[in-house]
Amino acid sequence: MQIARETLLRSYRAMRTIRMFEERLHVEFATGEIPGFVHLYCGEEASAVGVCANLTDNDTIASTHRGHGHCIAKGVEVAGMMAEIYGRSTGVCRGKGGSMHIADLACGMLGANGIVGGGPPLICGAALSHKTLRDGGVAVAFYGDGASNEGTTLESLNLASVWQLPAVFVVEDNGYGEATAASFACAGTQKARAAGFGMPYIECDGSDYFAVHEAAGEAIAHARAGKGPVMLHVHLQRWYGHFEGDAMTYRAPNEVAEAKRDHDCLKLFRERVTQAGLFEDSVLDEVDAAVTDEIEAAVMQAKDDPLPQSADLLADVYVRY
Amino acid sequence: MSKKSFRQAINEALRQEMRRDPTVILMGEDVAGGRGGSAGTADAWGGVLGVTKGLYEEFGETRVLDTPITEASYIGAAAGAAVTGLRPVAELMFVDFVGCCLDQIMNQAAKFRYMFGGKARTPLVIRAMYGAGFNAAAQHSQALYPLFTHIPGLKVVIPSSPYEAKGLLISAIRDDDPVIFLENKVMYDVEEDVPDEPYAIPLGEANLTREGDDVTIVAFGRMVGMANEAADRLAKKGISCTVIDPRTTSPLDSETILECVADTGRLVIVDESSPRCNMATDIAALVAEEAFDALRAPIRRVVPPHTPVPFATVLETLYMPSVEKIEAAVTATMNHRVTEKV
Ligand SMILES: Cc1ncc(C[n+]2csc(CCOP(=O)(O)OP(=O)(O)O)c2C)c(N)n1
């Protein structure tokens, strides 16, 4: 499949933005300046970006506790996200939500989620809205291998099938739910689960942007055409601990080292497009430089931005309070 | 006797009860942690905050069961195992996750004994972390004990210190009813002297952490420490307080509360859960009904506002009860003058 140059460049930039956003958070978190829990998506960038490159603002996604990548891929403003993570009033959620709850309905981002398995049922609802309102939209649930075992997820697969919803269930399988391996915690296969609920199943290598883009394109086209839900199983690796501060004592050190060496989606993307003569290295270097500046500015701005005021505490509990 | 953290005290209670009784088992997400991982370490974590660390090593996989992320099924399985001969201690991790498995607790475990004509025993303990103060935001910071207290058939325990945690957890494990055991996540590193040998603190008996003449303060869990600190400050101003730690919200030791209010004539309740239909409203109603004549001032509640827990530190601090807020409430009660009706 041909992907427009413009899309490729936008995707590269999104992946690089996620990578730098995350690596910067890793550093800043260690200084103790960032409050709360932070779960990094580093290493998984091609999944969020490859899927979202097939979506528009009219489509909806739901994310997980590891949500920064999905937010950026769906177009949430980086500065607003950074401010949110720093608990500033300028944050996309006005400092009320933090890392685990970043949402921006204006770009179809239904929220990161602190509850594992919280997203798939919501996506059934979003898909129902798209179907009922006939707006041509599809809804995508991102969830982990761990979340794939939650009752909410399994019930949602069934409901989406029964209602023939325009929904795509993206299992981001990084092999771990916290410290427990999927090989221990997931019985059977995702493929068999999809079959059990009567929906098509597609799998792909999550370190290969092109593979994800193509597989997701197929899944999303199927759902958009009104043919019902699809499961997309993406195999990937996370580079950092479950949350910041996790020393990953459950993983052999070479596992992460190999992931970085052999499965770095950014490195693979760059090799592929430069070897094919699509882009000069210098073009991508420019993107890297621009993203570096953007992240730096976002961090500086976030640290400088005002804190919420006491009046904000009781604001927005109800539509009118 | 030696200094132990809240975390160590809980770990020790679990270890000693598991040694004593082979039917006590643990289950939960990552209670050992590391199963199937490439490091080949099956006990890499001991729970997300390390509370169950080392138990897998001692008791092995038949007694310490890591579960998939499936609260409805494993909490339900713990209830089913409890009613058929085991004594499971199931860890729910953050109490907020009860949303995923409430049916198994509320409609199943809590009701077995009553619905089955008194013939069932459900020696189940569900441990969970609660509370704000960690910047963990709205889905990881709730203090849901009123939710459990509302459901007949459940016992609800909120330890206020390492000593209390060990003794109360041992009682909870030996208890034949389903017990919800709630650990304040901000307290795990708090230390105090805790006996090395096992001991049990009975469920349903309040603890008077200090006695005074002017005001009764009732506080739960982490709030007990704050109430005592406020009482220390107030003592310097000549106001003497009784501080009650009820230890359990269900059953509730109403007798002790009523006796203390009868002595002091004033009541302040400190509760970090959402303010509507919480322990503070419950105790206020109890005292209004049973000890109205003893009251010399209106009952005061130190509670958060009716809002989800905010993320930003500034807002979370405003949200939480504090030593200052408790002190102010006690002072206000003392300053209240009853105006005679003409
Ligand atoms: C209902 C619920 N249970 C447990 C948790 C604690 N928790 C947070 S993330 C996580 C692991 C999720 O694993 P997975 O779905 O594979 O996603 P990954 O972290 O690998 O991206 C767990 C158990 C939670 N937040 N919500």
Side-chain angles (χ1 to χ4, degrees):
Chain A
M1 189 179 45
Q2 284 285 17
I3 308 174
R5 256 180 82 85
E6 201 190 319
T7 307
L8 286 178
L9 204 57
R10 215 180 323 115
S11 290
Y12 179 76
R13 183 174 177 128
M15 289 196 289
R16 178 61 68 192
T17 306
I18 297 170
R19 174 71 52 89
M20 295 205 144
F21 189 89
E22 298 278 274
E23 286 184 335
R24 186 61 184 263
L25 284 183
H26 180 67
V27 171
E28 297 292 333
F29 192 86
T31 70
E33 259 202 81
I34 295 178
F37 295 110
V38 171
H39 305 81
L40 299 185
Y41 189 70
C42 227
E44 310 187 8
E45 297 87 347
S47 174
V49 175
V51 171
C52 292
N54 291 282
L55 300 176
T56 71
D57 274 1
N58 182 44
D59 299 314
T60 315
I61 67 164
S63 173
T64 67
H65 58 287
R66 202 176 301 291
H68 306 147
H70 305 129
C71 289
I72 292 171
K74 195 68 172 59
V76 181
E77 282 290 321
V78 168
M81 287 176 59
M82 195 63 87
E84 184 60 34
I85 292 167
Y86 274 85
R88 307 290 152 159
S89 65
T90 48
V92 266
C93 305
R94 299 186 178 136
K96 294 275 189 70
S99 163
M100 268 192 296
H101 306 289
I102 294 175
D104 190 351
L105 295 171
C107 44
M109 169 52 200
L110 199 47
N113 209 315
I115 301 299
V116 170
L122 298 174
I123 268 333
C124 288
L128 181 63
S129 290
H130 291 306
K131 184 176 179 176
T132 308
L133 301 172
R134 295 175 196 275
D135 62 10
V138 295
V140 177
F142 288 97
Y143 59 96
D145 48 273
S148 76
N149 299 318
E150 282 279 12
T152 48
T153 304
L154 296 164
E155 290 184 26
S156 299
L157 293 174
N158 187 58
L159 186 65
S161 232
V162 167
W163 282 352
Q164 283 294 290
L165 294 173
V168 178
F169 294 89
V170 181
V171 193
E172 293 191 320
D173 189 345
N174 59 22
Y176 292 91
E178 290 189 350
T180 298
S183 61
F184 171 80
C186 295
T189 62
Q190 301 294 342
K191 185 178 184 180
R193 291 182 190 189
F197 292 110
M199 68 176 73
Y201 167 89
I202 308 173
E203 68 187 320
C204 64
D205 173 2
S207 64
D208 179 349
Y209 165 85
F210 294 90
V212 179
H213 187 279
E214 185 175 345
E218 208 180 303
I220 290 164
H222 178 99
R224 218 187 279 288
K227 296 180 190 161
V230 185
M231 182 189 289
L232 175 61
H233 186 181
V234 187
H235 300 275
L236 28 72
Q237 326 233 8
R238 80 166 139 80
W239 286 9
Y240 291 106
H242 168 59
F243 44 61
E244 282 309 89
D246 165 18
M248 287 201 282
T249 42
Y250 48 90
R251 290 178 88 173
N254 66 342
E255 189 176 283
V256 176
E258 275 168 24
K260 290 186 178 178
R261 194 188 63 215
D262 303 335
H263 303 284
D264 177 350
C265 56
L266 275 151
K267 201 163 82 183
L268 294 171
F269 181 99
R270 186 184 270 259
E271 278 167 17
R272 176 101 173 248
V273 296
T274 50
Q275 276 162 21
L278 280 166
F279 294 101
E280 295 289 317
D281 269 314
S282 60
V283 176
L284 302 178
D285 290 344
E286 264 172 53
V287 173
D288 293 357
V291 171
T292 307
D293 292 346
E294 187 189 11
I295 298 295
E296 178 65 20
V299 172
M300 290 305 130
Q301 184 67 49
K303 289 184 178 183
D304 236 33
D305 275 347
L307 296 170
Q309 305 282 305
S310 55
D312 298 329
L313 180 59
L314 282 170
D316 300 325
V317 175
Y318 300 115
V319 171
R320 309 181 71 185
Y321 193 71
Chain B
M1 192 84 103
S2 59
K3 278 237 183 302
K4 289 174 189 127
S5 69
F6 194 67
R7 175 188 287 105
Q8 287 167 329
I10 292 164
N11 184 284
E12 194 166 272
L14 292 169
R15 188 186 299 275
Q16 289 175 346
E17 284 308 288
M18 290 180 82
R19 282 182 187 161
R20 191 186 61 82
D21 179 351
T23 64
V24 176
I25 59 163
L26 300 190
M27 62 173 85
E29 294 157 16
D30 286 309
V31 286
R35 300 303 300 275
S38 55
T41 330
D43 56 348
W45 267 19
V48 269
L49 297 185
V51 178
T52 48
K53 185 83 185 149
L55 298 176
Y56 180 89
E57 219 169 287
E58 176 167 349
F59 301 102
E61 65 179 8
T62 56
R63 308 270 313 269
V64 180
L65 289 83
D66 270 324
T67 69
I69 309 169
T70 53
E71 292 80 11
S73 67
Y74 80 80
I75 294 289
V83 82
T84 53
L86 296 178
R87 300 188 91 85
V89 180
E91 180 179 297
L92 187 49
M93 207 183 299
F94 290 76
V95 73
D96 313 68
F97 308 160
V98 73
C100 301
C101 57
L102 192 55
D103 175 70
Q104 292 296 323
I105 299 173
M106 174 174 82
N107 289 322
Q108 312 301 334
K111 296 185 168 46
F112 288 160
R113 185 165 173 78
Y114 193 80
M115 279 192 317
F116 300 168
K119 291 179 193 158
R121 279 162 197 267
T122 313
L124 164 67
V125 178
I126 297 174
R127 292 179 42 242
M129 291 184 257
Y130 80 94
F134 227 70
N135 295 104
Q139 295 177 336
H140 284 72
S141 302
Q142 298 168 89
L144 295 174
Y145 42 83
L147 184 79
F148 299 112
T149 308
H150 184 73
I151 300 166
L154 298 179
K155 289 179 176 161
V156 185
V157 182
I158 315 171
S160 61
S161 75
Y163 175 85
E164 293 285 312
K166 181 172 174 185
L168 287 167
L169 183 53
I170 286 177
S171 290
I173 294 170
R174 295 178 187 175
D175 199 279
D176 283 337
D177 286 312
V179 180
I180 312 292
F181 190 87
L182 296 170
E183 300 160 17
N184 192 300
K185 59 174 89 70
V186 179
M187 284 172 53
Y188 282 121
D189 293 320
V190 170
E191 289 190 346
E192 74 179 348
D193 278 335
V194 176
D196 299 328
E197 62 279 2
Y199 60 95
I201 297 174
L203 306 186
E205 281 181 22
N207 183 27
L208 294 191
T209 61
R210 66 198 287 147
E211 291 183 61
D213 302 323
D214 299 319
V215 182
T216 298
I217 308 177
V218 179
F220 296 90
R222 181 178 168 219
M223 300 294 111
V224 174
M226 288 188 187
N228 278 305
E229 211 179 312
D232 283 341
R233 293 193 196 179
L234 289 156
K236 293 192 187 115
K237 296 182 192 162
I239 300 170
S240 90
C241 299
T242 290
V243 176
I244 305 178
D245 169 9
R247 290 175 169 149
T248 57
T249 61
S250 208
L252 180 71
D253 184 354
S254 19
E255 220 167 276
T256 299
I257 296 171
L258 291 171
E259 276 167 18
C260 293
V261 173
D263 286 345
T264 59
R266 298 182 185 89
L267 175 63
V268 170
I269 310 154
V270 192
D271 183 347
E272 79 160 280
S273 65
S274 289
R276 305 291 314 281
C277 302
N278 68 355
M279 289 317 300
T281 60
D282 188 62
I283 292 169
L286 168 80
V287 170
E289 200 166 70
E290 304 284 336
F292 187 74
D293 291 337
L295 288 174
R296 293 197 276 163
I299 300 164
R300 293 201 173 249
R301 298 181 294 141
V302 182
V303 290
H306 194 59
T307 155
V309 183
F311 165 69
T313 310
V314 266
L315 296 182
E316 196 184 41
T317 307
L318 284 169
Y319 173 91
M320 283 296 283
S322 64
V323 175
E324 292 71 26
K325 288 176 190 170
I326 299 168
E327 205 183 338
V330 169
T331 310
T333 324
M334 288 301 290
N335 291 341
H336 182 82
R337 299 270 172 271
V338 183
T339 41
E340 292 289 329
K341 283 210 185 90
V342 202

